[in-house]
Amino acid sequence: MDSQILGLLAQGIGETFYMVVVSTVAAYVIGIPLGVLLYVTAEDGILPNKVIYAIFSFVINVVRSVPFLILVVAILPFTRKVVGTTIGSTATIVPLVVAAAPFVARMVESSLKEVDAGVIEAAKAMGSTNWQIIRKVLIPEARPSLLIGMTISFATILGYSAMAGFVGGGGLGAIAVNYGYYRYQVDVMLITVAILVLIVQIFQEGGMRLVDKIDRRKKL
Amino acid sequence: MFYLENVSKIFPTTDGKVSAVQQVNLEIRDGEIFGIIGFSGAGKSTLVRCLNLLERPTEGRVLFGDLDLTKASDKELREARRSIGMIFQQFNLLSQRNVLDNICYPLEIAGVDKKAARERAKELLDVVDLADKTYAYPSQLSGGQKQRVAIARALATNPKVLLCDEATSALDPLTTRNILTLLQDINKKMGVTIVIITHEMRVVEQICDRVAVMSSGVVEEVGTVQEIFENPKSETGKKLVIPDASEGIPVPTKDFIRIVFDGRSSYEPVLSQLILHTGLELNILGARTEDINGTAYGQMLIEAPSDRASLQAIRDFLLAKDIPSELVSMQEV
Ligand SMILES: Nc1ncnc2c1ncn2[C@@H]1O[C@H](COP(=O)(O)OP(=O)(O)OP(=O)(O)O)[C@@H](O)[C@H]1O
Ligand SMILES: [Mg+2]
């Protein structure tokens, strides 16, 4: 394999990381408040509100049920407006965030739901405001589960980013598509796939170790 | 401390309405240890949750001092809750915080600065005798230790009253006794009023001053522990004072006489005198006496003789000796 391809792969890895990390962070910036909102307004939440819950839940379900490639195409005008272009890594971040934020919101909601209701009740009995319950009880108690959710989200976003290679996105996905699909260089395609698998493995493993380290529920 | 006026709580469920608490009138006095006893599903938890409005009564008023909690604003309610500590059967500690930070939580949310909060938390760890676990996490503690942390946490904001919902039900008998002794100390030394919910008469016997007997959402009777123990008037009260299998006494299948030891007389001389005096062969179904606060306290069940004369002889003897007793018919219980 020549050095040109190696250079290409290195660049692809860099682009993929850039897309996935920025998208994950952005998806969480949007997804955490959304997830908290879902949790809080749910029927058994701390401030139940059927209307708000129904509206947000519906919108999230709609966005989540649109296949990613269709979503990318459907929001092309929006993407152009936000970043000025529709191709390349930066342009891919926009649909990645749009697709991942609702997913993250659901992950956050389910992590918060795992928090023991008794603990929340105790916090209420001690005179906590709802905001204090969210900040000092719910989120810290759900932290290990939120982190596991983050490794899952990361892998999902990585998968989406590779798909985006088909429609002008950058990174490893684009390399796999260009060399493997259009030029029949199966070896290059296999290598990119292997790299993607490796990245998922590393993050999954690292995430789990971190969770083990920070979770205080286990016996030491 | 607390006045409940006509408090009812109705839960709407898919199978219709559940009246968990019905028309309860109750006074809990400053400085006392007040028990609420009843079988599972009686509405005890719901009633105690109405005291700090974790459950909003569907009807009636809950007065905490002069403040009607049912009409209080959110802010007033939060302030009041700082004066109403609560502990639970499942402890409900923050699993991701260590012991010290758990105790700091109520101070933190009340805006106490970190250093002062930690000092106060350490004081409380001494009170509950757990200073060696300051930096442990809840998962590293036994049930009894967790409940001690919960007690320290509940006391952090200097509450006037401590609500305990089945606080010892997840603990073994010895640990239960230790926790109850700790609660009693807190009541005596700090003057904290204590409300204890339980389904075990021996918990009430050990530390309560007065007790309310609850069944199907209704408070059936209220009285001093001695009154209820010696002479329960309600059906539920009668059932609750009979020791159960968990106390090593099988529930009798025949009619029996329940003799109560209230500290004035003790078990053995009474029994021997009774046998000598009546000349009867007595069949003891079970007995449980304990040394509580220095006096013998407990009860003995003896099988009721089938002939009226013998029965009368036993009852006359007990009456003459001023020993409380009652005839319990198994058809009735
Ligand atoms: N949130 C709720 N929704 C519907 N019904 C409820 C709710 N909470 C309690 N109940 C019902 O109210 C009744 C009283 O329940 P409660 O928990 O107060 O009983 P308890 O005396 O504390 O029982 P236990 O000793 O088992 O804890 C029960 O019939 C229960 O099913
Ligand atoms: Mg209960």
Side-chain angles (χ1 to χ4, degrees), chain B residues 44-46 89 165-166 197:
Chain B
K44 310 178 293 290
S45 294
T46 308
Q89 179 172 358
D165 189 354
E166 305 269 9
I197 292 203

Side-chain angles (χ1 to χ4, degrees), chain A residues 25-183:
Chain A
V25 170
Y28 268 85
V29 168
I30 301 167
I32 288 182
L34 266 179
V36 169
L37 185 84
L38 286 173
Y39 173 87
V40 166
T41 57
E43 210 175 330
D44 50 358
I46 51 179
L47 260 180
N49 188 317
K50 274 194 181 132
V51 177
I52 292 185
Y53 186 85
I55 292 173
F56 278 86
S57 188
F58 178 72
V59 172
I60 283 170
N61 288 347
V62 168
V63 178
R64 285 197 59 196
S65 45
V66 178
F68 180 66
L69 287 182
I70 294 176
L71 183 86
V72 175
V73 177
I75 65 165
L76 280 177
F78 176 69
T79 305
R80 183 172 289 121
K81 220 176 227 164
V82 176
V83 292
T85 172
T86 59
I87 50 170
S89 315
T90 306
T92 310
I93 290 174
V94 177
L96 280 180
V97 173
V98 172
F103 174 76
V104 168
R106 285 293 185 203
M107 298 284 270
V108 170
E109 183 191 14
S110 87
S111 290
L112 297 181
K113 277 207 153 99
E114 283 168 29
V115 175
D116 185 0
V119 174
I120 294 160
E121 184 145 293
K124 266 192 213 163
M126 287 185 271
S128 313
T129 60
N130 289 324
W131 180 235
Q132 285 167 332
I133 292 178
I134 293 168
R135 240 183 58 243
K136 288 175 176 285
V137 178
L138 272 173
I139 293 181
E141 286 292 295
R143 199 185 295 131
S145 169
L146 286 170
L147 224 104
I148 292 173
M150 204 168 209
T151 66
I152 298 172
S153 304
F154 182 87
T156 306
I157 293 173
L158 186 71
Y160 283 167
S161 83
M163 261 193 257
F166 263 107
V167 284
L172 291 169
I175 296 175
V177 169
N178 289 336
Y179 285 80
Y181 189 74
Y182 293 121
R183 297 192 205 165

